[in-house]
């Protein structure tokens, strides 16, 4: 079962050709096209479709109703605890994305859904790593609790490595590095950001490469920092301005005001 679009399904040569096609579209910010390839009518298919459309919301700030509809279908088709837990994990992620982007405050829903997922997904299940990572996102960006976030990211990092989920590792490396940068641990931050970028480039995760470049730039010195940001701008334009939230970080610095104004 595909627990989430955040998994690395489709990224290796031995994967199902359908999953490889889905991955290629998803990695190029074509989530709706990727979801359209997934056969409907099964719990696994409905879950993967929902996960892809939830991810589109996070990256584009659009498609909220499509994601909600797909998620309701996945919830209706889930028939065991692990599938219900996966659906709850996506429910929490959708609520998190809506809160993060200021669409609507759904913070309580996000926490409740992820808590429900934690009660349903066994500790050793592959979906647990993603759940821990998402609980870290809520802790860091909604609850403003970096220590709780770090603990959740570390659990996710260990589990992602155990299950060889390279894509999720690229996320845990990046977010652990972000916390290290906040704490002034520059060498640790630079290493984590570089690992995240390396993995995303190896996987061909184009939509996630520009954010990784910007993060690494934040830990580098000139002229390397400017080179990395310019490469991020190129990819950002190539993908039509996705992820949308990256626009603020890539905006060129404002020109100085004329003297006396």
């Amino acid at each position: 079962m595909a627990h989430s679009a955040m998994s690395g399904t489709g990224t290796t040569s031995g994967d199902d050709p359908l999953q490889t096609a889905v991955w290629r579209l998803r990695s190029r910010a074509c989530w709706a096209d990727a979801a359209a390839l997934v056969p409907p009518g099964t719990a696994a298919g409905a879950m993967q479709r929902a996960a892809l459309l939830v991810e589109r919301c996070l990256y584009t700030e659009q498609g909220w109703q499509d994601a909600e509809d797909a998620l309701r279908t996945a919830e209706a088709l889930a028939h065991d605890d692990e599938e219900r837990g996966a659906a709850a994990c996506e429910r929490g992620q959708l609520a998190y994305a809506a809160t993060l982007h200021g669409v609507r405050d759904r913070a309580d829903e996000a926490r409740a859904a992820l808590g429900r997922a934690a009660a349903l997904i066994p500790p050793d299940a592959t979906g647990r790593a993603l759940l821990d990572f998402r609980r870290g996102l809520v802790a860091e960006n909604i609850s403003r609790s970096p220590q709780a976030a770090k603990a959740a990211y570390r659990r996710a990092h260990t589990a992602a490595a155990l299950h060889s989920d390279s894509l999720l590792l690229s996320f845990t490396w990046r977010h652990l590095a972000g916390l290290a940068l906040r704490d002034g641990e520059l060498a640790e931050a630079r290493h984590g950001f570089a690992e995240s970028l390396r993995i995303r480039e190896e996987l061909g995760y184009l939509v996630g490469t520009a954010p990784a470049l910007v993060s690494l730039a934040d830990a580098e010195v000139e002229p390397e920092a400017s080179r990395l940001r310019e490469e991020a701008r190129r990819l950002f334009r190539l993908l039509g301005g996705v992820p949308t939230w990256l626009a603020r970080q890539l905006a060129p610095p404002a020109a100085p005001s004329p003297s006396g104004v």
Side-chain angles (χ1 to χ4, degrees), residues 11-76:
T11 59
T12 62
S13 59
D15 283 328
D16 182 329
L18 172 63
Q19 291 301 327
T20 300
V22 168
W23 164 253
R24 286 174 178 166
L25 288 167
R26 175 199 168 198
S27 65
R28 289 159 176 76
C30 300
W31 292 279
D33 291 338
L37 290 181
V38 179
T42 66
M47 190 68 261
Q48 187 174 19
R49 285 168 61 89
L52 287 163
L53 296 176
V54 167
E55 187 173 78
R56 179 177 67 164
C57 293
L58 184 64
Y59 278 77
T60 70
E61 303 178 57
Q62 296 178 359
W64 301 98
Q65 191 57 54
D66 288 343
E68 188 70 45
D69 292 344
L71 188 49
R72 286 198 187 108
T73 298
E75 288 167 338

Side-chain angles (χ1 to χ4, degrees), residues 68-250:
E68 188 70 45
D69 292 344
L71 188 49
R72 286 198 187 108
T73 298
E75 288 167 338
L77 289 175
H79 65 270
D80 62 29
D81 281 353
E82 202 163 342
E83 289 173 351
R84 293 185 191 98
C89 188
E90 291 304 327
R91 170 66 63 190
Q93 180 72 351
L94 184 60
Y96 164 76
T99 305
L100 186 72
H101 289 312
V103 176
R104 185 157 61 91
D105 185 352
R106 298 173 60 180
D108 289 343
E109 180 186 353
R111 294 187 188 96
L114 294 178
R116 187 163 64 253
L120 291 166
I121 299 175
D124 58 347
T126 56
R128 193 75 186 202
L130 178 62
L131 171 60
D132 281 333
F133 172 70
R134 288 176 169 175
R135 296 182 90 178
L137 291 177
V138 170
E140 180 181 5
N141 299 313
I142 295 180
S143 301
R144 306 298 178 189
S145 177
Q147 289 306 312
K150 183 183 290 188
Y153 292 151
R154 282 177 172 166
R155 290 195 302 272
H157 190 80
T158 299
L162 180 65
H163 294 292
S164 301
D165 190 340
S166 296
L167 183 60
L168 183 54
L169 275 173
S170 82
F171 283 89
T172 54
W173 271 122
R174 179 165 172 259
H175 284 267
L176 284 168
L179 293 176
L181 185 62
R182 178 188 299 187
D183 291 339
E185 302 291 342
L186 193 59
E188 182 180 343
R190 188 179 292 124
H191 173 70
F193 288 141
E195 282 297 295
S196 178
L197 176 61
R198 176 188 64 79
I199 292 170
R200 291 179 182 198
E201 288 180 334
E202 288 178 355
L203 293 176
Y205 188 49
L206 198 61
V207 74
T209 300
L213 286 163
V214 172
S215 292
L216 182 57
D218 289 341
E220 288 287 0
V221 297
E222 297 296 350
E224 181 65 6
S226 290
R227 185 194 70 78
L228 291 165
R229 288 194 180 93
E230 187 52 42
E231 178 64 10
R233 287 189 188 96
R234 185 187 70 80
L235 288 174
F236 182 70
R237 290 192 295 268
L238 179 66
L239 292 175
V242 176
T244 53
W245 40 263
L246 204 57
R248 296 182 293 276
Q249 298 178 54
L250 290 175

